[in-house]
Amino acid sequence: AARSVGASPFSVAATHAAALLAADAADDADEGRRAVLYTLKGKNTDSGAYAAEATFDGIDAYRVDNGALFDVISKCRLVKSPAELTVLRYVNKVSSEAHMEVMRRVAPGMHEYQLEALFRYKCAHDGGARHLAYTCICGAGINGATLHYGHAGAPNDRRLGDNDMVLLDMGSEYHCYASDITRSYPVSGVFDERQRMVYVAVYEAQEAVLRAVRPGVSWLDMHRLAAKVLVEHLLRAGLLRGGTVDELLAAHVDALFMPHGLGHHMGLDTHDVAGYGAGMPKRSKEPGLSKLRTACVLEPGMVLTVEPGCYFIRALLEPAFADDTLGRYLVEDKLRAFLDFGGVRLEDDIIVTADGCENMTLAPRHIDDVEAFMKRARAGAVDGTEK
């Protein structure tokens, strides 16, 4: 059934599909016409992969239409049904509790893969979520500056140091529906001055977006908002100089520190379909904005991630130091001191509602809550009371 809000491309998707079927039914009434068979073929604008078109013996007996179905189905998947939202809330709860279990037990001397193992066990044992939505990213220290760390070439194998931050991007899957959550915090349980500065910058960027999200808002503008808050904090911390916030944004300095998009659609795929499908706004060519996985205008029932970050990536900063345009905005000596820092990302999964958003993610996020939770966990580890 169509789930409509106004006259957007999503709201007409099911109506369009019905019209196609009706037209073909009329055609099929003509004697001698073969029945129409719709097959799914199209390019996922996020991954670049093509859906494998179905085939079977005898398909030649049908008139095959492989051009209509992909965009229609993709648009229908953008707005979730109440039943879908129930599953998505549940898998977020499972993953949030698993993140909290890792936060409770993390300690110097552990390996990154042990944090992944704790997360996997908690999701499966307590939540019945036997599968993950994607490969776990468990970056300690400098590894937090690698956006998709944790794959086979970088297998979550670093030993955690006393002063490391960990960036943990992990989400379980339940009945084919994904969760996608990131938490960043110090292994010690207490933020030092540098860690606090970077964390608060990312937290405030995320909070600004969560307050601003509502139907009718452009996702491009949400990314711009997060970038603005991040640059304000870096300027205030003395890592940037030589211009106003607007001037730094115009020079795309923000993309040096957040070289990815603010977030993406989520559902049956972690990076769900239709980000740049037919009838959708086109991908921006601007640095930073070009990395967004969608440029949609928000509607009630959409599910997206909100995941600003701040990273100190040598491969981006070294060329920028020598660049005539970018270099004049960077306080090189102070930034070089951060090249071993890694990064901070906070990622929560939201449902767009009629007047704002619902945050499905439950793990502690405010810096005081994180420290208090980890302090209680360490006290419980001593006296056995923490549950």
Side-chain angles (χ1 to χ4, degrees):
R3 291 165 287 182
S4 62
V5 180
S8 74
F10 324 124
S11 64
V12 301
T15 303
H16 176 57
L20 287 171
L21 292 171
D24 286 316
D27 288 342
D28 293 339
D30 296 336
E31 185 175 350
R33 296 295 296 273
R34 291 177 296 167
V36 175
L37 177 66
Y38 290 100
T39 58
L40 194 67
K41 180 181 180 180
K43 183 179 181 180
N44 185 314
T45 60
D46 183 272
S47 67
Y50 283 84
E53 186 178 1
T55 187
F56 54 88
D57 291 340
I59 195 171
D60 291 341
Y62 297 87
R63 286 189 293 126
V64 175
D65 183 338
N66 63 11
L69 192 59
F70 185 84
D71 284 330
V72 170
I73 295 296
S74 295
K75 289 171 184 175
C76 285
R77 281 173 56 174
L78 283 175
V79 176
K80 281 23 178 207
S81 70
E84 288 177 301
L85 293 178
T86 296
V87 179
L88 285 163
R89 289 187 184 100
Y90 176 76
V91 73
N92 246 271
K93 179 177 182 292
V94 169
S95 293
S96 294
E97 291 176 351
H99 269 278
M100 293 164 71
E101 180 67 8
V102 175
M103 189 181 292
R104 184 179 288 117
R105 296 178 61 179
V106 65
M110 296 178 71
H111 285 84
E112 294 164 334
Y113 58 75
Q114 292 177 287
L115 308 186
E116 176 182 359
L118 285 171
F119 181 85
R120 286 174 172 269
Y121 177 81
K122 181 73 171 178
C123 289
H125 183 271
D126 290 2
R130 298 176 56 216
H131 303 290
L132 297 179
Y134 52 93
T135 302
C136 289
I137 299 168
C138 300
I142 197 170
N143 290 340
T146 301
L147 298 187
H148 284 151
Y149 177 78
H151 54 79
N156 290 335
D157 59 358
R158 175 187 167 111
R159 185 185 294 274
L160 277 57
D162 292 358
N163 299 317
D164 282 345
M165 286 285 287
V166 288
L167 187 158
L168 306 178
D169 187 339
M170 305 183 289
S172 62
E173 176 186 298
Y174 189 75
H175 281 249
C176 299
Y177 283 86
S179 59
D180 190 355
I181 299 171
T182 306
R183 288 294 181 264
S184 302
Y185 45 85
V187 174
S188 67
V190 179
F191 290 82
D192 65 27
E193 184 178 358
R194 289 198 315 166
Q195 294 166 346
R196 180 174 291 269
M197 182 275 293
V198 179
Y199 189 94
V200 169
V202 175
Y203 175 83
E204 292 295 340
Q206 190 188 40
E207 277 292 293
V209 172
L210 293 174
R211 290 192 297 267
V213 162
R214 58 184 40 81
V217 168
S218 166
W219 198 237
L220 288 169
D221 289 339
M222 295 296 92
H223 181 100
R224 291 187 182 104
L225 174 59
K228 179 176 183 290
V229 175
L230 181 61
V231 166
E232 288 172 346
H233 278 266
L234 295 178
L235 193 59
R236 194 177 306 134
L239 300 183
L240 301 177
R241 66 183 176 193
T244 65
V245 171
D246 288 341
E247 288 169 343
L248 270 65
L249 291 171
H252 306 297
V253 172
D254 57 289
L256 295 173
F257 301 94
M258 190 172 76
H260 61 74
L262 174 66
H264 51 81
H265 295 294
M266 189 187 75
L268 288 170
D269 285 327
T270 306
H271 298 158
D272 219 356
V273 295
Y276 292 102
M280 301 288 288
K282 301 300 182 184
R283 186 186 293 271
S284 171
K285 296 182 179 180
E286 292 184 32
L289 292 176
S290 65
K291 302 299 184 182
L292 276 168
R293 299 180 187 273
T294 184
C296 70
V297 175
L298 300 181
E299 289 196 19
M302 286 182 173
V303 171
L304 302 100
T305 66
V306 181
E307 48 179 307
C310 181
Y311 318 86
F312 300 89
I313 303 171
R314 185 179 293 274
L316 295 180
L317 289 174
E318 290 285 8
F321 292 147
D323 184 88
D324 291 340
T325 300
L326 293 171
R328 66 191 184 94
Y329 296 119
L330 306 176
V331 183
E332 183 175 349
D333 59 333
K334 291 188 177 181
L335 283 168
R336 285 195 177 279
F338 278 83
L339 291 179
D340 64 346
F341 180 90
V344 169
R345 179 164 66 252
L346 293 172
E347 180 177 15
D348 289 48
D349 302 336
I350 65 165
I351 305 166
V352 181
T353 62
D355 57 359
C357 71
E358 174 191 337
N359 190 342
M360 297 184 287
T361 306
L362 308 174
R365 188 167 52 91
H366 188 281
I367 194 167
D368 293 341
D369 294 336
V370 172
E371 288 189 337
F373 182 90
M374 297 183 77
K375 182 178 180 180
R376 289 196 304 272
R378 279 149 177 73
V382 173
D383 63 23
T385 60
E386 178 69 17
K387 301 296 183 183

